[in-house]
Amino acid sequence: MSISRGSGAGATKTFNFKLVLLGESAVGKSSLVVRFVKDQFDDYRESTIGAAFFTQVVPVDDQTTVKFEIWDTAGQERYKSLAPMYYRNAQCAVVVFDITQEASFEKAKTWVKELQRQADPDIVIALVGNKNDLTSRRAVPAEEAQAYADEAGLLFQETSAKTGANVGDLFKAIAKKMPLDSQKQSQKGGRTSASGANRPSVDLSNGGASNAAGNCAC
Ligand code: GTP
Ligand code: MG
């Protein structure tokens, strides 16, 4: 629990949520999370082995912040069997495709189906069309992805990890969708407390609500 006491302001509650990134290899999962956590981008990035862990804090309003504990999974087929370990206790999932690769959109749909069948029934899922800086090579119309997301009950955002477009907005939109209510949180925590990730927390220092909590294990 953490309570940040600003000058004369009321206490700030910080809610922790476990977030998992899923999607085909090379769609830009790691690039998105590195943009979000460190505001950096590399034109060449090693494919993820197993998974990488990061944290980042998003202020929601004057009284509330959300701390995401992020598992960036490996998209290569050989790591597919590890995915349930990462999405099992997740309260939110970001399913990424590359707007220039139709096959990656189909793969994203299969991830959404798997999450809807096997993850927490209350999981918040965001569908993300990444690489929207490459519009001349677009293969997936934004309207088609938006229509699918509406039908499946998902948040939808197009992003560019390269330019940073919409990356902050994406995580802010997810934070706002999360149950930011202590009572609901503790009821839910009782059900899925194995990870301990969804307990509301109150930070006793301003440092606990810092935006620079990035922690890359890749
Ligand atoms: P795995 O770890 O194998 O699952 O891949 P990944 O989904 O994590 O992809 P990664 O972030 O490693 O990115 C793959 C390649 O795409 C890298 O060369 C990135 O530089 C590039 N890339 C990622 N995001 C973008 C983007 O928004 N625009 C452009 N143009 N390239 C991007
Ligand atoms: Mg990766």
Side-chain angles (χ1 to χ4, degrees):
M1 267 204 181
S2 68
I3 293 182
S4 306
R5 289 186 197 283
S7 47
T12 303
K13 279 188 195 157
T14 301
F15 293 91
N16 291 6
F17 294 104
K18 185 176 162 189
L19 182 151
V20 64
L21 280 126
L22 297 163
E24 199 168 82
S25 183
V27 295
K29 298 180 297 298
S30 301
S31 301
L32 274 172
V33 74
V34 167
R35 171 62 76 188
F36 174 51
V37 170
K38 299 182 176 176
D39 200 18
Q40 289 171 4
F41 177 79
D42 298 307
D43 277 310
Y44 179 74
R45 174 162 297 282
E46 297 275 345
S47 192
T48 304
I49 297 168
F53 181 69
F54 302 77
T55 63
Q56 181 59 298
V57 172
V58 177
V60 175
D61 59 36
D62 289 350
Q63 273 100 48
T64 320
T65 55
V66 161
K67 180 177 176 188
F68 287 118
E69 295 168 352
I70 302 168
W71 285 102
D72 168 27
T73 65
Q76 288 181 39
E77 203 53 33
R78 69 182 124 149
Y79 298 113
K80 184 162 192 319
S81 62
L82 299 178
M85 205 164 75
Y86 297 105
Y87 68 64
R88 200 165 288 135
N89 294 317
Q91 290 89 31
C92 31
V94 175
V95 179
V96 185
F97 67 95
D98 172 347
I99 65 150
T100 73
Q101 303 290 334
E102 169 71 29
S104 74
F105 180 48
E106 296 309 315
K107 180 74 187 174
K109 291 183 191 171
T110 69
W111 277 119
V112 169
K113 283 189 199 115
E114 181 165 337
L115 288 170
Q116 289 179 332
R117 268 201 319 268
Q118 299 191 55
D120 185 314
D122 296 330
I123 193 167
V124 171
I125 305 174
L127 177 69
V128 173
N130 189 41
K131 306 197 187 182
N132 88 337
D133 53 292
L134 302 175
T135 39
S136 60
R137 287 167 47 193
R138 179 185 285 278
V140 182
E143 303 72 31
E144 185 183 334
Q146 179 73 66
Y148 167 70
D150 290 346
E151 188 187 300
L154 320 172
L155 290 168
F156 174 65
Q157 186 73 265
E158 283 200 349
T159 57
S160 169
K162 184 167 186 166
T163 66
N166 297 337
V167 176
D169 291 350
L170 163 70
F171 287 94
K172 186 123 187 170
I174 297 169
K176 286 187 167 170
K177 263 264 184 176
M178 301 313 294
L180 303 177
D181 172 283
S182 305
Q183 213 179 346
K184 274 193 213 152
Q185 280 278 318
S186 50
Q187 281 164 5
K188 193 168 163 47
R191 270 200 287 136
T192 58
S193 59
S195 69
N198 58 350
R199 275 186 243 119
S201 61
V202 184
D203 189 353
L204 288 169
S205 70
N206 279 326
S210 158
N211 236 0
N215 175 19
C216 173
C218 55

